[in-house]
Amino acid sequence: MNKYNSLFHENRYVAYICRKNIKMAQINENYLKLQAGYLFPEIGRRVREFQKENPHADVIKMGIGDVTLPLTPTVIQAFHEGVEEMSKAGTFKGYGPEQGYAFLREAISMNEYINRGADIHADEIFVSDGSKCDTGNMLEIFGQDNIIAIQDPVYPVYVDASVMAGRTGKYTKSGYYDGLVYMPCSAENGFIPEIPKKKVDIVFLCFPNNPTGSTVSKQELKNWVDYALKNKTIILFDAAYESYISDPDLPHTIYEIEGAKEVAIEFRSFSKTAGFTGTRCAYTVIPKNLMAYTSDGAGMALHPLWFRRHTTKFNGVSYPVQKAAAATFTAEGKKEVKATISYYMNNARILRESLDKMGFRVFGGQNAPYVWVNSGRNISSWDLFDKLLHEAYVVGTPGSGFGPSGEGYFRFSSFATHENVVKAMDRLKNLKW
Ligand code: MLT
């Protein structure tokens, strides 16, 4: 048993002690099915432990996909203006619309959808403080018995949120949760999952993919939309990394595909696009004509359900933050976003080329900020993590943290500074295997 799991055993011990006493409030026991702490805090814990023992080690972090470039001048100016408005009685704002200010939703609709030929309107957009929360919380508006399909490997929030919400069975020794449909993504299938043979009710798709950096073509996405239309499946499409797409033939939004408005919810974020990881602003699109069904088969629009959930449990993103987000759609803001993305994609290129020369099998990093590698050296993902941390002071993310099919793989994030990417690759060249 590793330290990672011991928390859960401690919990059981506490539960045992309490049972001998009086009956108390009960916990959501689905949480006890979770196998580990959330991936990124666990990486943080290991790094902190290492740094405590090696205070002089200059650790380079390319684990969690956290941005390093500051907010751009246009965004900062709008942010300041928003704060200034809050300081004066005449322009001060209290609670805003839970769904987001119209100026931001209209800018999103025009720039991200209408201009791409996707017919998504401002009133179908919900501004929020993060796609992580939205993808996790979205399960609340779906029935308990839905069968959920998930790419493997993938951003761990989808699996963990499904477990917490009681949508899975037990964790099995082979590393899978009963009840979830895993769709293996490997080098053999280009990290694009096959459409499930059996009917599933909800499918999480993430493209450009975190962690593999794979992308989906219009035809492949159309196959998913057709499957969903035929099976009355809902696609939860996480497009948080769409701004890293440079190939003009790839779709940026699922709504570029005909019929998608009837089957898909899309999640987008300003985090990786415009450096908002610490500022927090994202949005979710639920088309007005997207339907799911009651247990007796009556069609119900999902938009009002999420609207009810959002307005009940969320009070909106702060006004200055929404102003700052809207500034990314001005002409100057767009130029700055483009420059930020080029900076990180140059890092991705350096990672790809350097790791390839070192004999890694390299994937992703071309239309996505993540570079996914296989060391080809018969070393587990976590052992490679420890080796890189201890011998090169370089932090990445073990592939197995994204699902069983990620074992043997490793993810590098290109969101580090250019200098650190170059330095890290220099150190890795000298590793002894
Ligand atoms: C990642 O590293 O996978 C992401 O940064 C995590 C996130 O966006 O929550």
Side-chain angles (χ1 to χ4, degrees), residues 38-40 63-66 131-132 155-157 210-211 240-241 271-272 277 280 370 397 402 411 413 415:
Y38 183 55
L39 175 63
F40 295 108
I64 188 165
D66 196 4
S131 291
K132 182 190 204 171
Y155 185 40
V157 170
N210 178 9
Y241 299 95
S271 283
K272 313 298 160 77
T277 52
R280 312 305 308 148
Y370 295 123
T397 307
F402 296 99
R411 190 193 79 175
S413 151
F415 292 117

Side-chain angles (χ1 to χ4, degrees), residues 35 68 129 153 176-177 207 243 254 277 300 339 358 380 392-393 412:
Q35 279 312 290
T68 49
D129 60 353
Y176 299 95
Y177 285 95
F207 289 109
S243 55
I254 194 165
T277 52
M300 278 278 218
M358 290 176 225
S380 80
Y393 307 159
F412 289 95

Side-chain angles (χ1 to χ4, degrees), residues 201-249:
D201 304 302
I202 295 173
V203 56
F204 279 97
L205 290 180
C206 175
F207 289 109
N209 185 256
N210 178 9
T212 67
S214 64
T215 49
V216 72
S217 69
K218 280 192 181 144
Q219 183 55 53
E220 284 158 340
L221 203 47
K222 182 177 179 318
N223 295 342
W224 279 102
V225 169
D226 289 347
Y227 167 85
L229 285 165
K230 185 164 154 226
N231 291 286
K232 297 191 164 35
T233 301
I234 298 290
I235 299 175
L236 300 180
F237 192 73
D238 186 349
Y241 299 95
E242 69 78 28
S243 55
Y244 288 84
I245 294 173
S246 58
D247 181 339
D249 294 331

